[in-house]
Amino acid sequence: MSTQNALLTILVEKINNDTLVLPTLPAIALKVRKSADDPNINLNGMADVVGQDPSLSARMIKISNSAYLGRTVKVTSTTQAVTRIGLNQVKNIATALAMEQLFVSKNEIVKKYMARMWTDTIEIVANAMAAAQTYQAKTGKKNLSLDTITLSALVANIGALPVLTEAERHDSVFANPTFLDVAIEKLSGRIGGSIMREWQFNDVFIQCAEHWRNLEYSEPGVSYIDFVRIGAALANQADNGDEILTQAMEKGIFNDIEEYQTPEFGEMRDNAKSIFA
């Protein structure tokens, strides 16, 4: 039995027995999400929670001042940032900003993999956000929220993390890093869905993490998973990119691929990317 199949077998067995170690949500993201769900929380209370993590605070202020929110007057405090972002959005934005903490490893090869995966994920996120903003500007439809699109795209690759963690434990397999690509391709959707359930994220995120690679799975109407897919296709992170774009065009999300090649689109994408820089 090849090393590849051995590790794949271990992974599948662990998934089936529920013994695969799943990443835990960073503590600050947990706190923010819990506070956001508290019906009595107010903006000051939320600002206090965010303020417990100086780096999250700084990034929240940065995002409030970013072109992504399209504001010119600069905010300087966490309270102003939370006020500008809004209580509903803070939950997803804070989670998104905290996610990077999960993509770390002590093993050199896994570390490189995780770093690349984070960069690739940000490409998906930035393209998804720009595609969503383009769609909103064109149709005037605001029923899909940008912060949910951001977080949906960020969890697209989350299922790969346990594969990499498991591989760390069997590092003889690193003679063959292509194996990792196969394992991630085959299993990360299933694992991603499990992580989203474990974290008690709602169905939108479960569906995106679990099914975005599977084009047979589709929602009627324009939904979050469409923008995750478009983001992945535009970032060259999807095997079936052309098919994704054809489906999106048929749904009326865009009329011509040139919409995604304009300087304006490039600027929106760069603005989105800068949030995570």
Side-chain angles (χ1 to χ4, degrees):
M1 193 174 186
S2 72
T3 327
Q4 291 197 29
N5 292 343
L7 192 49
L8 211 47
T9 309
I10 291 171
L11 284 163
V12 171
E13 213 165 89
K14 289 195 169 188
I15 293 169
N16 292 339
N17 302 336
D18 268 346
T19 54
L20 189 67
V21 178
L22 302 180
T24 51
L25 197 58
I28 184 63
L30 268 174
K31 269 189 197 161
V32 171
R33 296 183 75 80
K34 199 173 162 201
S35 306
D37 292 338
D38 174 355
N40 300 318
I41 192 81
N42 59 23
L43 288 164
N44 286 335
M46 184 54 98
D48 288 343
V49 175
V50 172
Q52 289 169 21
D53 185 307
S55 96
L56 181 63
S57 256
R59 297 181 85 165
M60 281 288 202
I61 292 170
K62 182 180 173 185
I63 199 172
S64 310
N65 290 326
S66 70
Y68 161 69
L69 287 181
R71 302 297 172 79
T72 44
V73 180
K74 293 285 180 229
V75 307
T76 51
S77 73
T78 313
T79 309
Q80 289 172 321
V82 168
T83 306
R84 180 170 284 184
I85 292 168
L87 271 180
N88 294 336
Q89 281 76 27
V90 163
K91 183 175 173 179
N92 287 342
I93 295 282
T95 308
L97 295 174
M99 292 282 283
E100 189 175 3
Q101 296 171 22
L102 298 176
F103 288 76
V104 291
S105 169
K106 294 186 176 73
N107 176 297
E108 276 313 306
I109 293 178
V110 175
K111 197 180 189 165
K112 280 189 186 130
Y113 240 90
M114 293 227 186
R116 193 184 82 205
M117 187 160 279
W118 178 250
T119 311
D120 289 350
T121 302
I122 296 309
E123 289 294 333
I124 297 177
V125 172
N127 279 289
M129 286 164 76
Q133 286 171 301
T134 306
Y135 173 74
Q136 287 183 350
K138 185 180 79 172
T139 61
K141 290 181 181 165
K142 294 273 199 280
N143 55 323
L144 299 180
S145 80
L146 279 175
D147 60 286
T148 303
I149 287 171
T150 305
L151 191 53
S152 300
L154 261 178
V155 299
N157 285 327
I158 197 82
L161 290 180
V163 174
L164 293 169
T165 310
E166 200 56 45
E168 250 183 324
R169 298 201 182 113
H170 305 86
D171 40 9
S172 60
V173 83
F174 286 122
N176 187 352
T178 49
F179 156 73
L180 286 173
D181 295 328
V182 175
I184 287 167
E185 183 62 38
K186 281 190 177 159
L187 302 175
S188 63
R190 249 177 98 182
I191 299 171
S194 302
I195 295 170
M196 294 295 94
R197 289 183 186 92
E198 180 79 14
W199 289 1
Q200 296 177 343
F201 277 29
N202 69 25
D203 287 349
V204 164
F205 301 109
I206 295 172
Q207 285 158 0
C208 287
E210 199 157 35
H211 299 298
W212 75 267
R213 287 180 178 83
N214 168 21
L215 296 193
E216 282 166 27
Y217 179 96
S218 85
E219 296 274 310
V222 176
S223 64
Y224 290 106
I225 202 166
D226 293 317
F227 289 101
V228 175
R229 286 174 177 156
I230 292 169
L234 295 176
N236 297 321
Q237 302 292 326
D239 291 340
N240 38 13
D242 292 343
E243 207 182 326
I244 287 172
L245 294 171
T246 305
Q247 276 190 7
M249 211 184 232
E250 284 165 2
K251 275 192 170 186
I253 296 175
F254 68 99
N255 303 326
D256 189 320
I257 194 66
E258 286 179 359
E259 290 176 39
Y260 295 151
Q261 292 157 350
T262 63
E264 293 77 26
F265 185 88
E267 195 179 331
M268 283 189 282
R269 188 185 54 219
D270 292 345
N271 287 339
K273 219 185 288 188
S274 73
I275 293 167
F276 296 98

